[in-house]
Amino acid sequence: MHDDLDAVPTLAEFLEVIAIAIPGTSDKFEGTSSHPVFTAKLTNGHDYQGQTSRVWDLNDATFAAADSLNALIIESVTAAHGRTVTLTDIAVALLQLLRRQDRLLADIAGADVSSISAQVNSGPSPAR
């Protein structure tokens, strides 16, 4: 994302790209028929509020990298727990990743994120 934006992404942009790259249903992932949305809560108790998104300025390589990250999470959870992965599992894995990477995001340190949750929008998934 950094190369496409000429800047470090915000938490909102990171979560949006990962959500867009969520795969369909498979034997390892329960999937979703609608567009998932990840939201974050901060350690100060507030809900995270993102800025204007630059996600639609990104090229396909960024979404391919997000696909790969999602695939890695799904494979890891499947191997560790022997079950179908859920959006909640992906949210937990993303939180673990962010909490280890304080310089990954432009607007917030990973340690300042207390939780990430996943919801499913009722509308169609956005096109890439």
Side-chain angles (χ1 to χ4, degrees):
M1 284 180 76
H2 181 273
D3 293 340
D4 286 351
L5 298 174
D6 290 327
V8 177
T10 64
L11 175 58
E13 291 166 337
F14 176 75
L15 294 176
E16 185 177 356
V17 167
I18 295 298
I20 291 169
I22 291 291
T25 302
S26 71
D27 61 330
K28 295 180 181 179
F29 181 62
E30 73 175 15
T32 176
S33 60
S34 298
H35 177 59
V37 175
F38 291 104
T39 58
K41 186 169 278 292
L42 305 178
T43 55
N44 65 8
H46 294 112
D47 292 334
Y48 170 80
Q49 300 296 318
Q51 304 294 327
T52 302
S53 176
R54 302 168 290 171
V55 166
W56 298 110
D57 294 333
L58 300 173
N59 68 36
D60 289 346
T62 297
F63 294 100
D67 285 336
S68 295
L69 178 59
N70 282 329
L72 178 64
I73 291 169
I74 290 167
E75 288 296 324
S76 297
V77 172
T78 300
H81 301 288
R83 61 174 171 74
T84 304
V85 178
T86 66
L87 282 175
T88 299
D89 293 323
I90 292 176
V92 168
L94 292 173
L95 178 63
Q96 291 171 351
L97 172 71
L98 290 177
R99 298 201 93 203
R100 292 184 194 126
Q101 303 292 325
D102 272 350
R103 298 173 196 252
L104 180 67
L105 305 169
D107 59 343
I108 192 163
D112 292 335
V113 180
S114 65
S115 66
I116 296 176
S117 58
Q119 297 84 33
V120 178
N121 271 350
S122 58
S125 295
R128 297 195 268 202

Coordinates of all heavy atoms in Angstrom, one line a residue, residues 30-116:
E30 N -15.7 -19.8 5.9 CA -17.2 -19.8 5.8 C -17.7 -18.8 4.8 O -18.8 -18.9 4.3 CB -17.8 -19.5 7.2 CG -17.6 -18.1 7.7 CD -18.4 -17.9 9.0 OE1 -18.8 -18.8 9.7 OE2 -18.5 -16.7 9.3
G31 N -16.9 -17.8 4.5 CA -17.2 -16.8 3.4 C -18.4 -16.0 3.8 O -18.9 -16.0 4.9
T32 N -18.8 -15.1 2.9 CA -19.9 -14.2 3.1 C -20.5 -13.8 1.8 O -19.8 -13.7 0.8 CB -19.4 -13.0 3.9 OG1 -20.5 -12.1 4.0 CG2 -18.3 -12.3 3.2
S33 N -21.8 -13.6 1.7 CA -22.4 -13.3 0.5 C -22.4 -11.7 0.3 O -22.8 -11.3 -0.8 CB -23.8 -13.8 0.4 OG -24.6 -13.2 1.5
S34 N -22.0 -11.0 1.3 CA -22.0 -9.5 1.2 C -20.6 -9.0 1.6 O -19.8 -9.8 2.1 CB -23.1 -9.0 2.1 OG -24.3 -9.4 1.7
H35 N -20.5 -7.7 1.4 CA -19.2 -7.1 1.7 C -18.9 -7.0 3.2 O -19.7 -6.4 3.9 CB -19.2 -5.7 1.1 CG -18.0 -4.9 1.4 ND1 -16.7 -5.3 1.0 CD2 -17.8 -3.7 2.0 CE1 -15.8 -4.4 1.4 NE2 -16.5 -3.4 2.0
P36 N -17.8 -7.6 3.7 CA -17.5 -7.5 5.2 C -16.9 -6.1 5.4 O -16.3 -5.5 4.6 CB -16.5 -8.6 5.4 CG -15.9 -8.8 4.1 CD -16.9 -8.5 3.1
V37 N -17.1 -5.6 6.7 CA -16.5 -4.4 7.1 C -15.9 -4.7 8.5 O -16.5 -5.2 9.4 CB -17.6 -3.3 7.3 CG1 -17.0 -2.0 7.9 CG2 -18.3 -3.0 6.0
F38 N -14.6 -4.2 8.6 CA -13.9 -4.4 9.9 C -13.9 -3.0 10.6 O -13.7 -2.0 10.0 CB -12.5 -4.8 9.7 CG -12.3 -6.2 9.2 CD1 -12.0 -6.4 7.8 CD2 -12.5 -7.3 10.0 CE1 -11.8 -7.7 7.4 CE2 -12.3 -8.6 9.6 CZ -12.0 -8.8 8.2
T39 N -14.2 -3.0 11.9 CA -14.2 -1.8 12.7 C -13.2 -2.1 13.9 O -13.0 -3.2 14.2 CB -15.6 -1.4 13.2 OG1 -16.1 -2.6 14.0 CG2 -16.5 -1.1 12.1
A40 N -12.7 -1.0 14.4 CA -11.8 -1.1 15.5 C -12.2 -0.3 16.7 O -12.8 0.8 16.5 CB -10.4 -0.7 15.0
K41 N -11.8 -0.8 17.9 CA -12.0 0.0 19.1 C -10.6 0.3 19.6 O -9.7 -0.6 19.5 CB -12.8 -0.8 20.1 CG -13.1 0.0 21.4 CD -14.2 -0.7 22.2 CE -15.6 -0.5 21.8 NZ -16.1 0.9 21.9
L42 N -10.4 1.4 20.2 CA -9.1 1.8 20.7 C -9.0 1.6 22.2 O -10.0 1.4 22.9 CB -8.9 3.3 20.4 CG -9.1 3.7 19.0 CD1 -8.9 5.2 18.8 CD2 -8.1 3.0 18.1
T43 N -7.7 1.5 22.7 CA -7.5 1.2 24.1 C -8.1 2.3 25.0 O -8.3 2.0 26.2 CB -6.0 1.1 24.4 OG1 -5.3 2.3 23.9 CG2 -5.4 -0.1 23.7
N44 N -8.4 3.5 24.5 CA -9.0 4.6 25.3 C -10.5 4.4 25.4 O -11.2 5.2 25.9 CB -8.6 5.9 24.8 CG -9.2 6.3 23.4 OD1 -10.0 5.5 22.9 ND2 -8.7 7.4 22.9
G45 N -11.0 3.3 24.8 CA -12.5 3.0 24.8 C -13.3 3.6 23.7 O -14.4 3.3 23.6
H46 N -12.7 4.4 22.9 CA -13.4 5.0 21.7 C -13.4 4.1 20.5 O -12.4 3.4 20.3 CB -12.8 6.4 21.4 CG -12.9 7.4 22.4 ND1 -11.8 7.9 23.2 CD2 -14.0 8.0 22.9 CE1 -12.3 8.8 24.0 NE2 -13.6 8.9 23.9
D47 N -14.4 4.3 19.7 CA -14.4 3.6 18.4 C -13.5 4.4 17.5 O -13.4 5.6 17.5 CB -15.8 3.6 17.8 CG -16.8 2.8 18.5 OD1 -16.4 1.8 19.2 OD2 -18.0 3.1 18.5
Y48 N -12.7 3.6 16.7 CA -11.8 4.3 15.7 C -12.6 4.9 14.6 O -13.5 4.3 14.1 CB -10.8 3.2 15.2 CG -10.0 3.7 14.0 CD1 -8.9 4.5 14.2 CD2 -10.4 3.4 12.7 CE1 -8.2 5.0 13.1 CE2 -9.7 3.9 11.6 CZ -8.6 4.7 11.9 OH -7.8 5.2 10.8
Q49 N -12.2 6.1 14.3 CA -12.9 6.9 13.2 C -11.8 7.2 12.1 O -10.8 7.9 12.4 CB -13.5 8.2 13.7 CG -14.6 8.0 14.7 CD -15.8 7.3 14.2 OE1 -16.2 7.5 13.1 NE2 -16.3 6.4 15.0
G50 N -11.9 6.6 10.9 CA -10.9 6.8 9.9 C -11.2 8.1 9.1 O -12.2 8.8 9.3
Q51 N -10.2 8.5 8.4 CA -10.2 9.7 7.5 C -10.7 9.3 6.1 O -11.1 8.1 5.9 CB -8.8 10.3 7.4 CG -8.1 10.6 8.7 CD -8.8 11.7 9.4 OE1 -9.4 12.6 8.8 NE2 -8.8 11.7 10.7
T52 N -10.7 10.2 5.2 CA -11.1 9.9 3.8 C -10.2 8.8 3.2 O -9.0 8.8 3.4 CB -11.0 11.2 3.0 OG1 -11.8 12.2 3.5 CG2 -11.4 10.9 1.5
S53 N -10.8 7.8 2.6 CA -10.1 6.7 2.1 C -9.5 6.9 0.8 O -10.1 7.6 -0.1 CB -11.0 5.5 2.0 OG -10.4 4.4 1.4
R54 N -8.3 6.4 0.6 CA -7.6 6.5 -0.7 C -7.5 5.1 -1.4 O -6.7 4.9 -2.3 CB -6.2 7.0 -0.5 CG -6.1 8.4 0.1 CD -4.7 8.8 0.6 NE -4.4 8.0 1.7 CZ -3.2 7.9 2.3 NH1 -2.2 8.7 1.8 NH2 -2.9 7.1 3.3
V55 N -8.3 4.2 -0.9 CA -8.2 2.8 -1.3 C -8.4 2.6 -2.8 O -7.8 1.8 -3.4 CB -9.1 1.9 -0.5 CG1 -9.3 0.5 -1.1 CG2 -8.6 1.7 0.9
W56 N -9.3 3.4 -3.3 CA -9.7 3.2 -4.8 C -8.6 3.7 -5.7 O -8.6 3.5 -6.9 CB -11.0 3.8 -5.1 CG -12.0 3.0 -4.2 CD1 -12.7 3.5 -3.2 CD2 -12.4 1.6 -4.4 NE1 -13.5 2.5 -2.6 CE2 -13.3 1.3 -3.3 CE3 -12.0 0.6 -5.2 CZ2 -13.8 0.0 -3.1 CZ3 -12.5 -0.7 -5.0 CH2 -13.4 -0.9 -4.0
D57 N -7.5 4.3 -5.1 CA -6.4 4.8 -5.9 C -5.3 3.7 -6.0 O -4.3 3.8 -6.6 CB -5.7 6.0 -5.3 CG -6.6 7.2 -5.3 OD1 -7.5 7.3 -6.2 OD2 -6.5 8.1 -4.5
L58 N -5.5 2.6 -5.3 CA -4.5 1.5 -5.2 C -4.6 0.6 -6.4 O -5.6 0.5 -7.0 CB -4.8 0.6 -3.9 CG -4.7 1.4 -2.6 CD1 -5.1 0.5 -1.5 CD2 -3.3 1.9 -2.4
N59 N -3.4 0.0 -6.8 CA -3.4 -0.9 -7.9 C -3.7 -2.3 -7.5 O -3.8 -2.6 -6.3 CB -2.1 -0.7 -8.7 CG -0.9 -1.2 -7.9 OD1 -1.0 -2.2 -7.2 ND2 0.2 -0.5 -8.1
D60 N -3.7 -3.2 -8.5 CA -4.1 -4.6 -8.2 C -3.0 -5.3 -7.3 O -3.4 -6.3 -6.6 CB -4.2 -5.4 -9.5 CG -5.5 -5.0 -10.2 OD1 -6.4 -4.4 -9.6 OD2 -5.6 -5.3 -11.4
A61 N -1.8 -4.9 -7.3 CA -0.8 -5.6 -6.5 C -1.1 -5.5 -5.0 O -0.8 -6.4 -4.3 CB 0.6 -4.9 -6.8
T62 N -1.6 -4.4 -4.6 CA -2.0 -4.2 -3.2 C -3.1 -5.2 -2.8 O -3.0 -5.8 -1.7 CB -2.5 -2.8 -2.9 OG1 -1.4 -1.9 -3.2 CG2 -3.0 -2.6 -1.5
F63 N -4.1 -5.4 -3.7 CA -5.2 -6.3 -3.4 C -4.7 -7.7 -3.5 O -5.1 -8.6 -2.7 CB -6.4 -6.0 -4.3 CG -7.0 -4.7 -4.0 CD1 -6.7 -3.6 -4.9 CD2 -7.8 -4.5 -3.0 CE1 -7.3 -2.4 -4.6 CE2 -8.4 -3.3 -2.7 CZ -8.1 -2.2 -3.5
A64 N -3.7 -8.0 -4.3 CA -3.1 -9.4 -4.4 C -2.4 -9.7 -3.1 O -2.4 -10.8 -2.6 CB -2.2 -9.5 -5.6
A65 N -1.7 -8.7 -2.6 CA -1.0 -8.9 -1.3 C -2.0 -9.1 -0.2 O -1.8 -9.9 0.7 CB -0.1 -7.6 -1.0
A66 N -3.1 -8.4 -0.2 CA -4.2 -8.6 0.8 C -4.8 -10.0 0.7 O -5.1 -10.6 1.7 CB -5.3 -7.5 0.7
D67 N -5.0 -10.4 -0.6 CA -5.5 -11.8 -0.8 C -4.5 -12.8 -0.2 O -4.9 -13.8 0.5 CB -5.5 -12.1 -2.3 CG -6.7 -11.5 -3.0 OD1 -7.7 -11.2 -2.3 OD2 -6.6 -11.3 -4.2
S68 N -3.2 -12.6 -0.4 CA -2.2 -13.5 0.2 C -2.2 -13.5 1.7 O -2.1 -14.5 2.4 CB -0.8 -13.1 -0.3 OG -0.7 -13.3 -1.7
L69 N -2.4 -12.3 2.3 CA -2.5 -12.2 3.8 C -3.7 -13.0 4.3 O -3.6 -13.7 5.2 CB -2.5 -10.8 4.2 CG -2.6 -10.6 5.8 CD1 -1.5 -11.2 6.5 CD2 -2.7 -9.1 6.1
N70 N -4.8 -12.8 3.6 CA -6.1 -13.5 4.0 C -5.9 -15.0 3.9 O -6.3 -15.7 4.8 CB -7.3 -13.0 3.2 CG -7.8 -11.7 3.7 OD1 -7.8 -11.4 4.8 ND2 -8.4 -10.9 2.7
A71 N -5.2 -15.4 2.8 CA -5.0 -16.9 2.6 C -4.1 -17.4 3.7 O -4.3 -18.5 4.2 CB -4.4 -17.1 1.2
L72 N -3.1 -16.7 4.1 CA -2.1 -17.1 5.1 C -2.9 -17.2 6.5 O -2.7 -18.2 7.2 CB -1.0 -16.1 5.3 CG 0.0 -16.4 6.4 CD1 0.7 -17.7 6.2 CD2 1.0 -15.2 6.5
I73 N -3.7 -16.2 6.8 CA -4.5 -16.3 8.0 C -5.4 -17.5 8.0 O -5.5 -18.2 9.0 CB -5.3 -15.0 8.2 CG1 -4.4 -13.8 8.5 CG2 -6.4 -15.1 9.3 CD1 -5.1 -12.4 8.5
I74 N -6.1 -17.7 6.9 CA -7.0 -18.9 6.8 C -6.3 -20.2 7.0 O -6.7 -21.1 7.7 CB -7.8 -18.8 5.5 CG1 -8.8 -17.6 5.5 CG2 -8.6 -20.1 5.2 CD1 -9.4 -17.2 4.2
E75 N -5.2 -20.3 6.3 CA -4.4 -21.5 6.4 C -3.9 -21.7 7.8 O -3.9 -22.8 8.4 CB -3.2 -21.5 5.4 CG -3.6 -21.7 4.0 CD -4.2 -23.1 3.7 OE1 -3.8 -24.1 4.3 OE2 -5.1 -23.1 2.9
S76 N -3.4 -20.7 8.5 CA -2.9 -20.8 9.8 C -4.0 -21.1 10.8 O -3.7 -22.0 11.7 CB -2.3 -19.4 10.2 OG -1.2 -19.1 9.4
V77 N -5.1 -20.5 10.7 CA -6.2 -20.8 11.7 C -6.7 -22.3 11.4 O -7.0 -23.0 12.4 CB -7.4 -19.8 11.6 CG1 -8.6 -20.2 12.4 CG2 -6.9 -18.4 12.0
T78 N -6.8 -22.6 10.2 CA -7.3 -24.0 9.9 C -6.3 -25.0 10.4 O -6.7 -26.0 11.0 CB -7.4 -24.2 8.3 OG1 -8.4 -23.3 7.9 CG2 -7.9 -25.6 8.0
A79 N -5.0 -24.8 10.2 CA -4.0 -25.7 10.7 C -4.0 -25.8 12.3 O -3.8 -26.8 12.9 CB -2.6 -25.3 10.2
A80 N -4.2 -24.6 12.9 CA -4.1 -24.6 14.4 C -5.3 -25.1 15.0 O -5.3 -25.7 16.1 CB -3.9 -23.1 14.8
H81 N -6.5 -24.9 14.4 CA -7.8 -25.3 15.1 C -8.6 -26.3 14.4 O -9.6 -26.8 14.9 CB -8.6 -24.0 15.3 CG -7.9 -22.9 16.1 ND1 -7.7 -23.0 17.4 CD2 -7.4 -21.8 15.7 CE1 -7.1 -22.0 17.8 NE2 -6.9 -21.2 16.8
G82 N -8.2 -26.7 13.1 CA -8.9 -27.8 12.4 C -10.3 -27.5 12.1 O -11.1 -28.4 12.2
R83 N -10.7 -26.3 11.9 CA -12.1 -26.0 11.6 C -12.1 -24.9 10.5 O -11.2 -24.3 10.1 CB -12.8 -25.5 12.8 CG -12.2 -24.3 13.5 CD -13.0 -23.8 14.6 NE -12.3 -22.7 15.4 CZ -12.2 -21.5 14.9 NH1 -12.7 -21.1 13.8 NH2 -11.6 -20.5 15.7
T84 N -13.4 -24.6 10.1 CA -13.6 -23.6 9.1 C -13.4 -22.2 9.8 O -13.8 -22.0 10.9 CB -15.1 -23.7 8.6 OG1 -15.3 -25.0 8.0 CG2 -15.3 -22.6 7.5
V85 N -12.7 -21.3 9.0 CA -12.4 -20.0 9.6 C -13.5 -19.1 9.4 O -14.3 -19.1 8.4 CB -11.1 -19.5 8.8 CG1 -10.7 -18.1 9.3 CG2 -9.9 -20.4 9.0
T86 N -13.7 -18.1 10.3 CA -14.8 -17.1 10.3 C -14.2 -15.7 10.1 O -13.0 -15.5 10.3 CB -15.6 -17.2 11.6 OG1 -14.7 -16.7 12.7 CG2 -16.2 -18.5 11.9
L87 N -15.0 -14.8 9.8 CA -14.6 -13.4 9.8 C -14.0 -12.9 11.1 O -13.0 -12.2 11.2 CB -15.7 -12.5 9.4 CG -16.1 -12.4 7.9 CD1 -17.3 -11.5 7.7 CD2 -15.0 -11.9 7.1
T88 N -14.6 -13.4 12.2 CA -14.1 -13.1 13.5 C -12.6 -13.6 13.7 O -11.8 -12.9 14.3 CB -15.0 -13.7 14.6 OG1 -16.3 -13.1 14.5 CG2 -14.5 -13.4 16.0
D89 N -12.3 -14.8 13.2 CA -11.0 -15.3 13.3 C -10.0 -14.4 12.5 O -8.9 -14.1 13.0 CB -10.9 -16.7 12.6 CG -11.6 -17.8 13.4 OD1 -11.6 -17.7 14.7 OD2 -12.2 -18.7 12.8
I90 N -10.4 -13.9 11.4 CA -9.6 -13.0 10.6 C -9.4 -11.7 11.4 O -8.3 -11.2 11.5 CB -10.2 -12.7 9.2 CG1 -10.1 -14.0 8.4 CG2 -9.4 -11.6 8.5 CD1 -10.7 -14.0 7.0
A91 N -10.4 -11.2 12.0 CA -10.3 -10.0 12.8 C -9.3 -10.1 14.0 O -8.5 -9.3 14.2 CB -11.7 -9.5 13.3
V92 N -9.4 -11.3 14.6 CA -8.5 -11.6 15.7 C -7.0 -11.6 15.2 O -6.1 -11.1 15.8 CB -8.9 -12.9 16.4 CG1 -7.8 -13.3 17.4 CG2 -10.2 -12.7 17.2
A93 N -6.8 -12.3 14.1 CA -5.5 -12.3 13.5 C -5.0 -11.0 13.1 O -3.8 -10.7 13.3 CB -5.5 -13.3 12.3
L94 N -5.8 -10.1 12.5 CA -5.4 -8.8 12.2 C -5.0 -8.0 13.4 O -4.0 -7.2 13.4 CB -6.5 -8.1 11.4 CG -6.9 -8.6 10.0 CD1 -8.1 -7.9 9.5 CD2 -5.7 -8.5 9.1
L95 N -5.7 -8.1 14.5 CA -5.4 -7.4 15.7 C -4.0 -7.9 16.2 O -3.2 -7.1 16.6 CB -6.5 -7.7 16.8 CG -6.2 -7.0 18.1 CD1 -6.1 -5.5 18.0 CD2 -7.2 -7.4 19.2
Q96 N -3.8 -9.2 16.2 CA -2.5 -9.7 16.6 C -1.4 -9.1 15.7 O -0.3 -8.7 16.3 CB -2.5 -11.2 16.6 CG -3.4 -11.8 17.6 CD -3.5 -13.3 17.4 OE1 -3.1 -13.9 16.4 NE2 -4.1 -14.0 18.4
L97 N -1.6 -9.0 14.4 CA -0.6 -8.5 13.5 C -0.3 -7.0 13.8 O 0.8 -6.6 14.0 CB -1.1 -8.6 12.1 CG -0.2 -7.9 11.0 CD1 1.1 -8.6 10.9 CD2 -1.0 -7.9 9.7
L98 N -1.4 -6.2 14.0 CA -1.2 -4.8 14.2 C -0.6 -4.5 15.6 O 0.2 -3.6 15.7 CB -2.6 -4.1 14.2 CG -3.3 -4.0 12.9 CD1 -4.6 -3.4 13.0 CD2 -2.4 -3.2 11.9
R99 N -0.9 -5.3 16.6 CA -0.3 -5.0 17.9 C 1.2 -5.3 17.9 O 1.9 -4.8 18.8 CB -1.0 -5.9 19.0 CG -2.5 -5.4 19.0 CD -3.2 -5.7 20.2 NE -3.1 -4.5 21.0 CZ -3.3 -4.6 22.3 NH1 -3.5 -5.8 22.9 NH2 -3.2 -3.5 23.0
R100 N 1.7 -6.1 16.9 CA 3.2 -6.3 16.8 C 3.9 -5.3 16.0 O 5.1 -5.3 15.9 CB 3.4 -7.7 16.3 CG 3.0 -8.8 17.2 CD 3.3 -10.2 16.6 NE 2.7 -11.2 17.3 CZ 1.9 -12.1 16.7 NH1 1.7 -12.1 15.4 NH2 1.3 -13.0 17.4
Q101 N 3.1 -4.5 15.3 CA 3.7 -3.6 14.3 C 3.3 -2.1 14.5 O 2.4 -1.6 13.9 CB 3.2 -4.0 12.9 CG 3.5 -5.4 12.4 CD 5.0 -5.6 12.3 OE1 5.7 -4.7 11.8 NE2 5.5 -6.8 12.6
D102 N 4.0 -1.5 15.5 CA 3.6 -0.1 15.8 C 3.8 0.9 14.7 O 3.2 2.0 14.8 CB 4.3 0.3 17.1 CG 3.5 0.0 18.3 OD1 2.4 -0.5 18.2 OD2 4.1 0.1 19.4
R103 N 4.6 0.6 13.7 CA 4.9 1.6 12.7 C 4.2 1.3 11.4 O 4.6 1.8 10.3 CB 6.4 1.8 12.5 CG 7.0 2.3 13.8 CD 8.5 2.3 13.7 NE 9.1 2.4 15.0 CZ 9.7 3.5 15.4 NH1 9.8 4.5 14.6 NH2 10.2 3.5 16.6
L104 N 3.3 0.4 11.4 CA 2.6 -0.1 10.1 C 1.6 1.0 9.6 O 1.4 1.1 8.4 CB 1.9 -1.4 10.4 CG 1.1 -2.0 9.3 CD1 2.1 -2.5 8.2 CD2 0.3 -3.2 9.8
L105 N 1.0 1.8 10.5 CA -0.1 2.7 10.1 C 0.3 4.1 10.3 O 1.1 4.5 11.2 CB -1.3 2.3 11.0 CG -1.7 0.9 10.9 CD1 -2.8 0.6 12.0 CD2 -2.2 0.6 9.5
A106 N -0.3 5.0 9.5 CA 0.0 6.4 9.6 C -0.6 7.1 10.7 O -0.1 8.1 11.3 CB -0.4 7.1 8.3
D107 N -1.8 6.7 11.1 CA -2.6 7.5 12.1 C -2.7 6.9 13.5 O -3.2 7.6 14.4 CB -4.0 7.7 11.6 CG -4.7 6.4 11.3 OD1 -4.1 5.3 11.2 OD2 -6.0 6.4 11.1
I108 N -2.2 5.7 13.7 CA -2.3 5.1 15.1 C -1.3 4.0 15.2 O -0.9 3.3 14.3 CB -3.7 4.6 15.3 CG1 -4.0 4.3 16.7 CG2 -4.0 3.4 14.3 CD1 -5.5 4.1 17.0
A109 N -0.8 3.9 16.5 CA 0.1 2.8 16.8 C -0.8 1.5 17.0 O -1.9 1.5 17.5 CB 0.9 3.1 18.0
G110 N -0.2 0.4 16.5 CA -0.9 -0.9 16.7 C -1.3 -1.2 18.1 O -2.4 -1.8 18.4
A111 N -0.4 -0.8 19.0 CA -0.7 -1.1 20.5 C -1.9 -0.3 21.0 O -2.5 -0.6 22.0 CB 0.5 -0.8 21.3
D112 N -2.3 0.7 20.2 CA -3.5 1.5 20.7 C -4.8 1.0 20.2 O -5.9 1.5 20.5 CB -3.3 3.0 20.2 CG -2.2 3.7 20.8 OD1 -1.8 3.3 22.0 OD2 -1.7 4.7 20.2
V113 N -4.8 -0.1 19.5 CA -6.0 -0.8 19.0 C -6.3 -1.9 20.0 O -5.5 -2.8 20.2 CB -5.8 -1.4 17.6 CG1 -7.1 -2.0 17.1 CG2 -5.4 -0.3 16.6
S114 N -7.5 -1.9 20.6 CA -7.8 -2.9 21.6 C -8.6 -4.1 21.0 O -8.5 -5.2 21.5 CB -8.6 -2.3 22.8 OG -9.9 -1.8 22.3
S115 N -9.4 -3.8 19.9 CA -10.1 -4.9 19.3 C -10.5 -4.5 17.9 O -10.6 -3.3 17.5 CB -11.4 -5.2 20.1 OG -12.3 -4.1 20.0
I116 N -10.7 -5.6 17.1 CA -11.2 -5.4 15.7 C -12.3 -6.4 15.6 O -12.3 -7.5 16.0 CB -10.1 -5.8 14.7 CG1 -8.9 -4.8 14.8 CG2 -10.7 -5.8 13.3 CD1 -7.8 -5.1 13.8

